[in-house]
Amino acid sequence: MTNKLMIPGPVMLEDDVLFQMGQQVQPHYGPQWTAIFNETIDLLKLVFETKGDVHILVGSGTAGVDASIASLTAPGETIVVGVNGHFGHRLVEIGQAYGLNVISVEAPLGKPLKAADFDRALTQHANAAAVAVVHLETSTTVLNPVEDIANVSRRHDVPVIVDAVSSLGGVPLAMDDWGIDLCASASQKCLGAPAGLAQVAISQRAWDIMASKPQRNHGWYLNLQVWQQHAIKWSDWHPYPITMPTNTVLALRTSLQSLLAEGVTNRIQHYSDLANRLRSGIRDLGLRLFASEDCLAPVLTGVISPDGIPSSDIVGYLLNEHGIKISGGFGDEMKERIFRVGHMGPTLTESDIDAVLNGVEAFLKSK
């Protein structure tokens, strides 16, 4: 029996998406395939809400984040990074790995970042080359105020990089209207496709900045300019520099078609309804949410484990006794402190939420 995935990604896939993964492989070049690929890019632009360029990289969401930071900046420059969880710390590590002077803007675990703190940091570091922030910090289930942070950065004329790996397609995000310069996501979360593809949307300002720094000393594979050059030079038959996994792209195209047919706003409302049902049930069981509801995303809920009970006990019970896979905390500080329930999959229903609540209730009664 297949376990029900209710984790922060990957998600359970729709049947039409699964069907694409089981088809015979298509060649990754030629006019017929290129038309399919370009359609997928156009669908992504609608979800990102951008008129700029979008590239599909073969790799995890972190590959897209890595490419965004390194393509925009040069060693020795300063980058201001938001940190309120594990993936914020990852932004710091990526920046340091590329020889950047990283200035951390921090918030406590379970609390959102504050735009005012970025305002102060950018005033103190007027030479900053970029701001980088995680939209949905999945380690703590907190949604950061990216629109407000981008507004502050725009006032300081500093480009913004957003890690939207866990948020794109499940949380409101408008790249152009918010003034985001680089936005990276991944196929396996709210976009509802298999893992393996990163998507990066790039503003014209970001391209102009890259062009002004020819000696960035970045590599080749994750250099966004390399992907853009091939998209232009080989536009009619092979608009990328590598072998593209055609089945995974077809699956992504199908999942995007489903998302847009339903409507991103309607999909987000569905997730919000599931979140409200789950959180109400959690409170009825006498448990507490890890973060306040005003900063929780509609696609993920973190719950504090009862006193004296490691969260891994609850995770293991639900898997072994109910066939439901949820997640424990992420990172050393959170590992046994909370359990996280993902409700970002397009196939999830109210009955799935009720199954989680029934399983948690049964666990508590067994103690």
Side-chain angles (χ1 to χ4, degrees), residues 9 21 40 59 75 90 94 98 101 103 122 152 169 176 196 202-203 225 243 250 285 289 299 311 317 343:
M21 293 300 291
T40 308
R90 180 170 292 184
I94 293 171
Y98 284 112
N101 174 34
I103 304 300
L122 291 171
V152 166
D176 289 357
I202 308 105
S203 72
Q225 285 179 308
T243 300
L250 288 167
L285 292 174
L289 303 178
V299 296
S311 61
Y317 178 86
H343 29 88

Side-chain angles (χ1 to χ4, degrees), residues 248-307:
T248 312
V249 173
L250 288 167
L252 175 61
R253 182 182 69 155
T254 301
S255 68
L256 291 170
Q257 290 169 336
S258 173
L259 171 60
L260 290 165
E262 180 178 346
V264 176
T265 300
N266 293 332
R267 180 72 63 85
I268 292 172
Q269 184 59 54
H270 173 62
Y271 291 150
S272 296
D273 292 342
L274 296 181
N276 291 335
R277 190 179 187 90
L278 174 65
R279 293 163 191 171
S280 176
I282 287 294
R283 287 191 294 267
D284 289 344
L285 292 174
L287 299 178
R288 294 178 296 139
L289 303 178
F290 178 68
S292 60
E293 292 203 52
D294 60 353
C295 66
L296 283 174
V299 296
L300 181 64
T301 299
V303 183
I304 299 173
S305 190
D307 290 342

